[in-house]
Amino acid sequence: MTAKKPLSFGIKTAPQHTTYEDMLAIWLAADAEPALEHAWLFDHFMPIVGDYKGPCLEGWSLLSAFAALTKRIRIGLMVTGNTYRHPAVLANIGATVDVISNGRLDFGIGAGWNEREHSSYGIPLYTTGERIRRFGEACEVIRQMWTEEAPTFEGRYYQIKEAYCEPKPVQKPYPPFVIGGSGEKLTLRIVAQYADIWNMAGGSIDDFKHKSAVLDEHCAAIGRDPNTISRSIQIPITPNDLAQTRELTQQFIDAGANHFILNLRPPFPEGIVRRLVSEVVEPLKAANQ
């Protein structure tokens, strides 16, 4: 068995109801804090919290900019909606961002879910089962395009023929797959097959423990060591009570989580990144060595 992974902490700034400049300031502050290892955006075209008619910057475009402006921190979308882009196109986008960042991309991907965006943009959402099966094929297409010179793939939903993706990602064999979702029969089976990190976006401690146990079962079924998959959770930040944030995070640590995304919402309080490190991240790392 592989040893369990150490604790890893990062921040998330959903690009809704805020500005490029305000998010960039948070990302640059996080990049300067060695205790923070990763930073995240989301992949939506309209806000999913508050007024859906408000401002919302496109995730991959913004991630590309932040890839160029940061130096150390790992970067990603939590998570890309597979339905929004053909996987061959997404493979090229991801490879380009990995090149720009000099090998710092964590490739977040999920099946897609937002009904309003799909209906507004005329993008098919499909039934839940088909959406997840498409997602599984997409993971295979992307992995092949990142590791093979000119792959051909004949799937039920996606077909590619001599699909070049050059340059390949900097990271070898490819950027880590970060899969978001918690469907027990299909999604977690795909997680077991492809993911380096599994993220559950929200839910109770008991929910997390149950889903994590189901993932272990899927890993056993295919002969994969479950400890090779990091267990990730998004933690809402209460800026005026970071002790509460720290206590909630510790509960998830006790439940087996080891990858934490501290979810910041605008307006971002001045000095919040430094406070998160000193009042949440550093104490938790010290307490759980």
Side-chain angles (χ1 to χ4, degrees):
M1 295 288 285
T2 302
K4 289 187 177 181
K5 296 178 180 291
L7 301 183
S8 175
F9 292 87
I11 55 100
K12 178 180 176 181
T13 59
Q16 58 184 353
H17 303 304
T18 186
T19 66
Y20 171 82
E21 292 79 10
D22 284 353
M23 283 184 290
L24 177 59
I26 293 291
W27 279 58
L28 293 177
D31 197 37
E33 294 283 355
L36 295 174
E37 299 177 37
H38 37 90
W40 304 85
L41 304 167
F42 74 18
D43 187 31
H44 292 284
F45 307 120
M46 304 176 189
I48 60 173
V49 174
D51 184 1
Y52 69 88
K53 300 184 292 294
C56 187
L57 293 170
E58 196 279 321
W60 276 106
S61 303
L62 186 60
L63 190 68
S64 181
F66 288 175
L69 293 170
T70 54
K71 303 299 182 185
R72 177 196 60 85
I73 203 161
R74 297 192 63 79
I75 62 171
L77 296 189
M78 183 56 62
V79 289
T80 303
N82 176 60
T83 49
Y84 296 142
R85 305 165 189 85
H86 191 285
V89 174
L90 183 57
N92 276 271
I93 293 171
T96 297
V97 172
D98 198 54
V99 169
I100 292 169
S101 68
N102 194 29
R104 291 184 286 124
L105 177 68
D106 284 337
F107 180 63
I109 188 168
W113 61 270
N114 191 289
E115 293 183 10
R116 181 184 296 278
E117 288 175 330
H118 287 80
S119 61
S120 293
Y121 282 68
I123 300 171
L125 183 60
Y126 312 109
T127 63
T128 300
E130 179 176 345
R131 190 160 70 243
I132 298 172
R133 287 190 293 270
R134 283 177 174 271
F135 166 52
E137 280 195 11
C139 288
E140 182 61 29
V141 168
I142 293 165
R143 188 167 69 175
Q144 287 188 20
M145 289 187 65
W146 284 348
T147 57
E148 300 178 18
E149 181 180 5
T152 295
F153 178 83
E154 288 287 341
R156 179 177 178 182
Y157 304 106
Y158 300 114
Q159 299 81 39
I160 57 173
K161 183 177 181 181
E162 296 181 357
Y164 288 90
C165 178
E166 298 295 340
K168 295 283 191 276
V170 172
Q171 297 179 85
K172 304 302 179 189
Y174 45 78
F177 274 63
V178 184
I179 294 181
S182 55
E184 296 181 18
K185 293 182 179 180
L186 297 178
T187 301
L188 290 179
R189 187 169 67 194
I190 295 170
V191 171
Q193 184 174 1
Y194 291 100
D196 299 280
I197 301 170
W198 163 61
N199 178 263
M200 190 176 88
S204 69
I205 303 292
D206 287 342
D207 286 340
F208 177 82
K209 291 170 69 175
H210 172 69
K211 301 291 185 180
S212 190
V214 172
L215 176 55
D216 288 348
E217 294 172 1
H218 283 299
C219 287
I222 64 171
R224 182 174 182 183
D225 180 354
N227 289 325
T228 62
I229 302 175
S230 293
R231 312 300 166 106
S232 177
I233 192 77
Q234 299 184 48
I235 302 289
I237 297 304
T238 308
N240 295 328
D241 189 359
L242 291 182
Q244 181 184 43
T245 301
R246 187 173 63 248
E247 291 167 8
L248 177 61
T249 305
Q250 182 63 59
Q251 292 175 36
F252 276 105
I253 292 171
D254 295 340
N258 51 25
H259 184 277
F260 299 93
I261 300 168
L262 304 174
N263 200 342
L264 291 162
R265 290 185 176 176
F268 307 119
E270 186 174 354
I272 186 60
V273 172
R274 177 87 284 272
R275 288 183 56 214
L276 280 175
V277 170
S278 63
E279 298 180 40
V280 178
V281 176
E282 291 176 342
L284 287 171
K285 285 189 172 183
N288 293 278
Q289 286 182 341

